[in-house]
Amino acid sequence: MLRRPRRNRKSPVIRNLIEETQLSVQHLIFPVFIIEGDNQREEVASMPGIYRYSIDLLLEEIAACQELGIHTFAPFPALTDDKKDTLAQEGHNPEGLFPTAIRRIKETFPDVCLMTDIAMDPYSSDGHDGLVHDGEILNDATLEILGKMALVQAEAGADILGPSDMMDGRVGYLRELLDEHGYANVSIMAYTAKYASAFYGPFRDALDSAPKLGDKKTYQMNPANAREALMEAELDYDEGADILMVKPALPYLDIVQSLKECFPVPIAAYQVSGEYAMIKAAAANGWLNGRKTMQESLMSIRRAGADIILTYFAKEYAQELKS
């Protein structure tokens, strides 16, 4: 036999020498949840090991994560119903929980990178990412609200804005608005191919942000569609997105690979709450080795072409590397 592939697998040193894909903590973004109050920490029931933190305890968590080499975070606010309305006004309140948290984090840790979310659903009494009128999600009217959110978050110190709403034209609208107001250095990571997925359930539990009526299929993508993702990516790229994201990650590795091959900007993938919860549940039942499954799942996302991975496993993975 002329070719014996096993020769390149015969020892750990050789396997490491020819390893094609590298994954380090620097490629990871850690999503975190913020709640009001002081000295508050609540575990998300459907996401074992993931907590909602009041700002004071979140600062402690970020400090611990930095010791592990994690320096980029994606905070999400979990608001009580009295702070929500149909216009999502709390989303652009400069003194609200979210911009206050951004300012506190950046004041305490100036070198931390914050990627923040732009969408109405955490602040909307309707639970939708856009403005609802007579059961319809209004695209263009939503953009103005998103723009107000973007300016408040940029002013508070956000480094990267992540419009996750999937409204048409929002990347170009936000880029122009940010530039006009002196925030040309604030990046946009577009949720480019965000699918109407069944994997978001635990996240909606964490924020209590599920739609009150209907679903999100008129603005999030059909899981059956791949070519549509390329169209969305081309639009976001042409409108000025700095990074393109695919969400969820594992069920859409083909989309990650397609975007990586077609666009000369970094590609991100979001390993969402349901992906995390599945692995945790299987590990808790003894059906899978949780540590190895976590590592393999992250490596597969990276191998598919993701330059950046948003994952709830970020801290756990970093701890594994340190041990």
Side-chain angles (χ1 to χ4, degrees):
M1 294 175 65
L2 182 64
R3 293 290 176 197
R4 289 184 179 270
R6 289 186 57 190
R7 285 195 286 260
N8 286 340
R9 305 172 194 152
K10 65 186 177 184
S11 74
V13 173
I14 291 176
R15 290 195 296 271
N16 291 336
L17 185 67
I18 65 167
E19 189 172 78
E20 298 175 18
T21 304
Q22 305 293 323
L23 173 66
S24 72
V25 177
Q26 71 183 24
H27 300 121
L28 306 181
I29 297 177
F30 190 20
V32 292
F33 300 117
I34 309 167
I35 54 175
E36 294 180 314
D38 295 303
N39 198 34
Q40 298 296 309
R41 190 180 85 148
E42 305 170 350
E43 188 170 25
V44 180
S46 52
M47 301 176 69
I50 298 300
Y51 298 85
R52 308 177 192 92
Y53 295 97
S54 55
I55 295 175
D56 55 333
L57 295 190
L58 179 60
L59 295 176
E60 295 180 7
E61 175 70 356
I62 289 174
C65 288
Q66 285 209 93
E67 290 294 320
L68 295 169
I70 301 169
H71 301 295
T72 306
F73 300 85
F76 294 90
L79 301 179
T80 53
D81 285 344
D82 62 302
K83 294 292 179 66
K84 301 179 182 181
D85 59 45
T86 58
L87 299 177
Q89 295 181 86
E90 188 66 12
H92 49 85
N93 173 10
E95 304 306 320
L97 172 66
F98 197 45
T100 299
I102 296 169
R103 285 193 294 269
R104 289 280 303 279
I105 294 168
K106 294 298 286 189
E107 288 166 1
T108 309
F109 308 106
D111 295 331
V112 154
C113 178
L114 291 183
M115 177 202 164
T116 59
D117 182 65
I118 305 289
M120 288 180 61
D121 57 329
Y123 316 95
S124 168
S125 53
D126 294 302
H128 276 285
D129 295 21
L131 185 63
V132 181
H133 179 70
D134 290 338
E136 179 184 357
I137 312 301
L138 302 182
N139 191 97
D140 294 3
T142 297
L143 300 185
E144 183 178 353
I145 298 171
L146 301 179
K148 293 178 180 178
M149 290 183 186
L151 291 178
V152 166
Q153 293 180 18
E155 190 278 331
D159 300 284
I160 304 170
L161 301 184
S164 63
D165 55 285
M166 290 298 288
M167 298 297 116
D168 293 340
R170 89 277 199 206
V171 171
Y173 181 90
L174 295 179
R175 183 72 274 160
E176 184 176 351
L177 191 68
L178 290 166
D179 291 354
E180 286 178 354
H181 286 79
Y183 298 111
N185 289 330
V186 174
S187 305
I188 294 178
M189 181 190 293
Y191 285 63
T192 291
K194 182 179 180 181
Y195 285 86
S197 173
F199 285 87
Y200 300 147
F203 178 91
R204 292 172 181 170
D205 290 343
L207 295 190
D208 189 23
S209 62
K212 300 301 185 287
L213 293 172
D215 54 41
K216 301 190 176 188
K217 293 181 179 180
T218 66
Y219 48 100
Q220 294 180 356
M221 286 179 54
N222 184 342
N225 293 357
R227 291 194 304 271
E228 185 180 359
L230 294 175
M231 178 183 67
E232 289 280 5
E234 185 173 5
L235 289 168
D236 288 350
Y237 177 75
D238 289 345
E239 291 174 20
D242 301 284
I243 304 166
L244 306 178
M245 184 207 292
V246 177
K247 180 182 179 183
L250 284 175
Y252 301 96
L253 295 182
D254 58 323
I255 309 302
V256 174
Q257 185 177 42
S258 293
L259 266 58
K260 180 67 173 179
E261 291 173 349
C262 295
F263 295 93
V265 293
I267 305 300
Y270 197 147
Q271 187 183 45
V272 299
S273 59
E275 298 174 67
Y276 174 88
M278 280 196 314
I279 294 172
K280 283 294 185 182
N285 279 281
W287 299 334
L288 291 174
N289 181 307
R291 179 180 62 82
K292 291 182 179 180
T293 307
M294 167 191 70
Q295 293 172 343
E296 186 176 341
S297 67
L298 292 171
M299 187 63 73
S300 73
I301 299 166
R302 178 84 171 136
R303 188 187 66 244
D307 302 286
I308 300 163
I309 304 173
L310 292 88
T311 177
Y312 300 95
F313 282 119
K315 185 179 180 181
E316 188 173 341
Y317 183 77
Q319 289 170 330
E320 285 289 333
L321 294 183
K322 287 280 189 179
S323 63

